[in-house]
Amino acid sequence: MKKLFILTLLVYVFIIGIMAQDKRTKAFNLVMPENVVENSLYNNTEFLDSRLYKEDLGYVQTGMLNNYAYLVDQIPFAHQFDSLINSITNETAQHKTLLLQLRNLNFSEITKAMSETGYCHVRMSLYEKEYPDYYLIATLDTLLTVKAMDVTGKLIKSSSGIITTFISDNLVSKRTDEAPFLLADIHNIDFFEKNNMKLYSADTYIDGIYPDFASFANQTPIADELTPKFDSSNNLKEIKKLNEQNKLKKLNPKDFYAVVVDGQPYITSNKSYIPVYKVKDEFKFLNDGNIRIDMGAYVGAGIAAGIVGGLLGVAIIPVLSNQPEKVEMTIDHLNGHFIVLPDVAEP
C-alpha cells in the first residue's frame, strides 16, 4: 500500500510539473538603444501585426532543467515600437509617420551535450505613411543563429539588437518604391511580392536545374538538356546530363535546390525529387519522410494541438530530425524555406 501511495504521489507530481511547464512563459522586450538618431524623417509610428501565429513567439529553454518557456509580448509590440521611436528620436525629427509591419518573429532553441543553439527568424517591413497611401521603405528577412553554453539571454538581446538597428537605420531612409499601397494591400503584401516573381506569375515552368531558390523564383535554370529516369509509378528517380566528355553523368540532387522536367517542378531533398504543385498562390509538396526542416521555417511535423483563444490552435515546435510521416509543406516565397502548415492552422 505504501509503495502504491508513493507511486501515485510521484505520478501526481509529474503531472503537476508538466502542467506548470505548459503554462511557463517568458517576456520578450526590446532593449532600447542608447544612440539617438539625428534628423529622423519619422517621429510617429503605426503598427500592423501580420504574423500567422500571434499567441506566442516560439520558445526558449530556461532553468537548470532546460524547461520550455514560450516567449510572449507582455508589453504589446505596438507600445514597444512606439517607445522605441520616442527613445531614439529628438527635436530634429520630422513629423512623418512610420508603419511597422511585423510579419514573423519566432524563437527556438536546441540543446546538445555541451552547448545550446538558439534561432530567431525576423521578418518585418517598414512603410512611409502619406494618407491614405503607404510607400515601402525596407524589408528585413533574416535568420539569427546564436551558440553558447546558456544561449537564451544572448539570443533575446541579439534579436532585439537586429530589430532596433533595422528600425534606427531606416529612420533617415526615404521610401524605395514610388508605387503606393493602401492599408488593405499591406495586409496582403505576400500577394504583391509574389506577383513580382516569375515563378508565381508563370503558367508554365522552364525545364532545367536550379542551384538555389533565387534562380527557381526567377525561372533562370543553368542547364536545360536533361535525361530523366522515372520508376513504374512515374516518380522521378534520377537525372543525367552530358558532361564535358559528352557522356551522360548522374546528378546528385544534393547539389541543387530544384529541377523542372517536362514542365513539372521538383524540389530536391536528400536523394529524392519531390513534385511541387500550386494551390492558389502557394507552391506545396508532400515531404517524403526525408525532409530536414530548415530552422528558418520554425515549424515541424511534431505539432502539439492546444487551445488558443478558445479555438483549436497549434504549438509550433522546430523539428530537426527526419520527418516520420508525409506532411504537406509549402515553400516560403521570400527565402525558399520549407514550412509545414497544418490544416488546423489554416485560416
Side-chain angles (χ1 to χ4, degrees):
M1 181 65 69
K2 185 177 180 181
K3 291 182 179 180
L4 179 59
F5 172 77
I6 294 175
L7 180 60
T8 303
L9 180 62
L10 289 175
V11 171
Y12 177 77
V13 170
F14 176 77
I15 293 175
I16 293 297
I18 292 296
M19 292 174 64
Q21 178 173 314
D22 288 342
K23 296 179 180 179
R24 185 176 287 114
T25 61
K26 184 176 179 65
F28 174 79
N29 296 315
L30 292 174
V31 179
M32 299 297 156
E34 297 180 358
N35 296 334
V36 173
V37 178
E38 297 287 341
N39 301 308
S40 168
L41 298 176
Y42 313 93
N43 71 345
N44 297 302
T45 61
E46 291 182 355
F47 176 68
L48 176 61
D49 192 347
S50 297
R51 293 175 296 152
L52 182 60
Y53 304 98
K54 298 180 176 64
E55 289 73 24
D56 61 63
L57 307 171
Y59 68 92
V60 292
Q61 298 177 112
T62 61
M64 294 292 293
L65 299 178
N66 283 329
N67 294 313
Y68 287 112
Y70 286 88
L71 284 174
V72 296
D73 54 330
Q74 289 182 348
I75 300 175
F77 278 124
H79 297 330
Q80 292 197 46
F81 289 123
D82 190 53
S83 297
L84 172 65
I85 298 301
N86 291 333
S87 173
I88 62 178
T89 59
N90 57 21
E91 66 278 0
T92 65
Q94 297 183 30
H95 299 292
K96 294 183 178 181
T97 298
L98 181 74
L99 171 66
L100 191 149
Q101 181 186 25
L102 184 60
R103 302 170 63 181
N104 193 15
L105 180 59
N106 201 288
F107 295 80
S108 60
E109 292 183 16
I110 301 297
T111 299
K112 295 184 178 180
M114 297 299 294
S115 67
E116 297 177 350
T117 304
Y119 303 88
C120 176
H121 182 212
V122 184
R123 180 177 294 171
M124 61 176 57
S125 297
L126 303 178
Y127 304 85
E128 177 183 328
K129 180 180 180 181
E130 197 172 282
Y131 187 82
D133 297 324
Y134 295 82
Y135 296 85
L136 180 66
I137 300 171
T139 292
L140 171 67
D141 184 34
T142 188
L143 173 64
L144 170 68
T145 303
V146 175
K147 293 184 178 181
M149 288 294 292
D150 185 7
V151 78
T152 301
K154 186 176 180 180
L155 176 65
I156 293 176
K157 183 178 180 180
S158 298
S159 59
S160 174
I162 286 178
I163 294 170
T164 57
T165 298
F166 170 68
I167 296 173
S168 299
D169 289 349
N170 281 288
L171 288 180
V172 294
S173 299
K174 296 182 178 180
R175 59 201 190 200
T176 58
D177 193 344
E178 289 302 318
F181 293 98
L182 295 175
L183 186 59
D185 299 330
I186 297 176
H187 277 280
N188 297 289
I189 193 63
D190 288 5
F191 171 81
F192 291 94
E193 290 172 340
K194 291 173 182 177
N195 274 354
N196 291 324
M197 303 168 70
K198 290 183 178 179
L199 176 65
Y200 288 87
S201 59
D203 294 323
T204 58
Y205 312 106
I206 302 173
D207 284 7
I209 297 170
Y210 296 88
D212 49 37
F213 175 70
S215 63
F216 188 48
N218 294 322
Q219 285 292 280
T220 52
I222 60 173
D224 55 8
E225 294 184 5
L226 306 175
T227 301
K229 180 180 179 181
F230 298 86
D231 63 18
S232 58
S233 300
N234 204 34
N235 298 314
L236 181 61
K237 300 304 293 181
E238 67 176 41
I239 295 175
K240 293 182 179 181
K241 67 182 291 287
L242 292 175
N243 60 16
E244 296 178 355
Q245 289 74 38
N246 206 33
K247 294 183 179 180
L248 285 175
K249 180 182 178 181
K250 181 180 176 180
L251 301 179
N252 188 342
K254 291 183 178 180
D255 294 337
F256 46 96
Y257 179 86
V259 63
V260 175
V261 176
D262 297 331
Q264 169 63 52
Y266 301 82
I267 58 99
T268 61
S269 174
N270 199 0
K271 298 180 180 180
S272 303
Y273 297 94
I274 306 173
V276 175
Y277 47 90
K278 191 175 183 182
V279 179
K280 294 182 180 180
D281 63 344
E282 294 283 350
F283 282 94
K284 298 185 177 184
F285 62 93
L286 291 177
N287 78 39
D288 66 346
N290 293 312
I291 296 292
R292 225 177 134 72
I293 293 178
D294 194 304
M295 289 307 302
Y298 297 107
V299 288
I303 297 165
I307 300 298
V308 179
L311 300 175
L312 181 64
V314 292
I316 306 176
I317 302 174
V319 177
L320 284 183
S321 60
N322 290 341
Q323 301 302 309
E325 299 177 355
K326 288 193 175 184
V327 176
E328 188 174 49
M329 307 179 77
T330 188
I331 297 175
D332 187 294
H333 71 283
L334 288 188
N335 53 37
H337 292 151
F338 303 149
I339 304 173
V340 173
L341 289 179
D343 291 340
V344 293
E346 292 181 355

